[in-house]
Amino acid sequence: MSYGRPVQVIAVTGGKGGVGKSNISVNLSIALAELQRRVVLLDADLGLANVDVLLGLKANHTLADVLSGECTLAEVMVRGPAGINIVPASSGVQQMASLGHQEHAALIHAFSEIGDQIDVLVIDTAAGISDSVVSFVRAANEILVVVCDEPSSITDAYALIKLLNTEHGIFRFRVVANMTRTNQEGSKLFTKLNAVCQRFLDVSLAYIGHIPFDENVRKAVQKQTPLLEYSPRCKASQALRTLAQKVDELPPPSHASGHLEFFVERLLNVANTGS
Ligand SMILES: Nc1ncnc2c1ncn2[C@@H]1O[C@H](COP(=O)(O)OP(=O)(O)O)[C@@H](O)[C@H]1O
Ligand SMILES: [Mg+2]
């Protein structure tokens, strides 16, 4: 039991689709579990039930069933590789902005029940800058922005950071470069994004690492097997473990509570203000 140790809530986002958010979320979660962390992965992409597909899982319930009071979070969670627990949120997410009192209570209750059984909550967000993406990102205490070497990736990441900064006062972001072809490409991408952010915004961006382009990622996706299991020693797997190590070393959230209630409260505050 790590009672009293705050839950680290990490949102994996990036603005653009196809940059590798879901693969990074899944494999980062597994790598953190390998480091003995108790991990819950929240699939907050309502478009396509990404995580289910990547892991070849079949979910009978989603967060929506928790909101309606039909299931507890424990009943909805699906056991994944390395013992991670996955919350299939797909259809529940849409409701996030219009929760009634009863649903608020159900959600707070659901998360507070598991709060002292988990160390890290990883949230895989959808593409774009919809309200639901913003809600989940705002509720996290670490934000990983995934970028790759495509002009639209940098502009979409910038648009997301700008929105979160100017409309929601978030100023701290960590950048992950994905599908890099050379060792320098990641830091070059970071420098590019950081330059425009420093010029126009009041934000602090930190580079947390890169994942090389690796054919094994696509093959693992086809096999519906997480990369870390499909090809544990390939370049991308090694980089994902290094990323997990760095994430694990991030300072714990500063709030005193060891529970997840604060996460839900932030989520609900966001939903209530309608932003
Ligand atoms: N490091 C990588 N090397 C090679 N291909 C990758 C890598 N990361 C992601 N991909 C490819 O990009 C596709 C989209 O990744 P995904 O994680 O689904 O993106 P997102 O969740 O951002 O939409 C994957 O199916 C995979 O084929
Ligand atoms: Mg995805």
Side-chain angles (χ1 to χ4, degrees), residues 21-22 45 50 124-125:
K21 297 179 293 297
S22 296
D45 186 350
N50 263 305
D124 178 23
T125 68

PDB file of all heavy atoms in Angstrom, residues 21-22 45 50 124-125, ligand 2:
ATOM      1  N   LYS A  21       0.012   8.716 -29.857  1.00  0.00           N
ATOM      2  CA  LYS A  21      -0.458   8.888 -28.465  1.00  0.00           C
ATOM      3  C   LYS A  21      -0.888   7.570 -27.833  1.00  0.00           C
ATOM      4  O   LYS A  21      -0.511   7.263 -26.701  1.00  0.00           O
ATOM      5  CB  LYS A  21      -1.650   9.860 -28.411  1.00  0.00           C
ATOM      6  CG  LYS A  21      -1.340  11.263 -28.873  1.00  0.00           C
ATOM      7  CD  LYS A  21      -2.573  12.148 -28.821  1.00  0.00           C
ATOM      8  CE  LYS A  21      -3.665  11.773 -29.804  1.00  0.00           C
ATOM      9  NZ  LYS A  21      -3.279  11.893 -31.222  1.00  0.00           N
ATOM     10  N   SER A  22      -1.689   6.803 -28.558  1.00  0.00           N
ATOM     11  CA  SER A  22      -2.224   5.574 -27.963  1.00  0.00           C
ATOM     12  C   SER A  22      -1.131   4.535 -27.746  1.00  0.00           C
ATOM     13  O   SER A  22      -1.091   3.876 -26.710  1.00  0.00           O
ATOM     14  CB  SER A  22      -3.336   4.994 -28.843  1.00  0.00           C
ATOM     15  OG  SER A  22      -4.410   5.910 -28.895  1.00  0.00           O
ATOM     16  N   ASP A  45     -10.285   8.355 -25.525  1.00  0.00           N
ATOM     17  CA  ASP A  45     -10.523   8.671 -26.924  1.00  0.00           C
ATOM     18  C   ASP A  45     -11.878   8.120 -27.326  1.00  0.00           C
ATOM     19  O   ASP A  45     -12.057   6.914 -27.461  1.00  0.00           O
ATOM     20  CB  ASP A  45      -9.423   8.062 -27.796  1.00  0.00           C
ATOM     21  CG  ASP A  45      -9.543   8.494 -29.248  1.00  0.00           C
ATOM     22  OD1 ASP A  45     -10.572   9.102 -29.601  1.00  0.00           O
ATOM     23  OD2 ASP A  45      -8.620   8.238 -30.015  1.00  0.00           O
ATOM     24  N   ASN A  50      -9.493   3.103 -28.969  1.00  0.00           N
ATOM     25  CA  ASN A  50      -8.108   2.830 -29.335  1.00  0.00           C
ATOM     26  C   ASN A  50      -7.417   1.741 -28.554  1.00  0.00           C
ATOM     27  O   ASN A  50      -6.855   0.820 -29.106  1.00  0.00           O
ATOM     28  CB  ASN A  50      -7.305   4.102 -29.063  1.00  0.00           C
ATOM     29  CG  ASN A  50      -7.133   4.907 -30.308  1.00  0.00           C
ATOM     30  OD1 ASN A  50      -6.651   4.387 -31.292  1.00  0.00           O
ATOM     31  ND2 ASN A  50      -7.550   6.150 -30.262  1.00  0.00           N
ATOM     32  N   ASP A 124      -5.049   8.421 -22.103  1.00  0.00           N
ATOM     33  CA  ASP A 124      -4.833   8.527 -23.547  1.00  0.00           C
ATOM     34  C   ASP A 124      -5.938   9.415 -24.114  1.00  0.00           C
ATOM     35  O   ASP A 124      -7.110   9.054 -24.055  1.00  0.00           O
ATOM     36  CB  ASP A 124      -4.888   7.129 -24.179  1.00  0.00           C
ATOM     37  CG  ASP A 124      -4.712   7.171 -25.691  1.00  0.00           C
ATOM     38  OD1 ASP A 124      -4.142   8.149 -26.198  1.00  0.00           O
ATOM     39  OD2 ASP A 124      -5.157   6.212 -26.361  1.00  0.00           O
ATOM     40  N   THR A 125      -5.586  10.557 -24.636  1.00  0.00           N
ATOM     41  CA  THR A 125      -6.620  11.483 -25.118  1.00  0.00           C
ATOM     42  C   THR A 125      -6.851  11.337 -26.627  1.00  0.00           C
ATOM     43  O   THR A 125      -6.019  10.791 -27.341  1.00  0.00           O
ATOM     44  CB  THR A 125      -6.258  12.953 -24.829  1.00  0.00           C
ATOM     45  OG1 THR A 125      -5.143  13.327 -25.635  1.00  0.00           O
ATOM     46  CG2 THR A 125      -5.930  13.160 -23.364  1.00  0.00           C
TER      47      THR A 125
HETATM   48 MG    MG B   2      -5.132   7.297 -30.313  1.00  0.00          MG
END
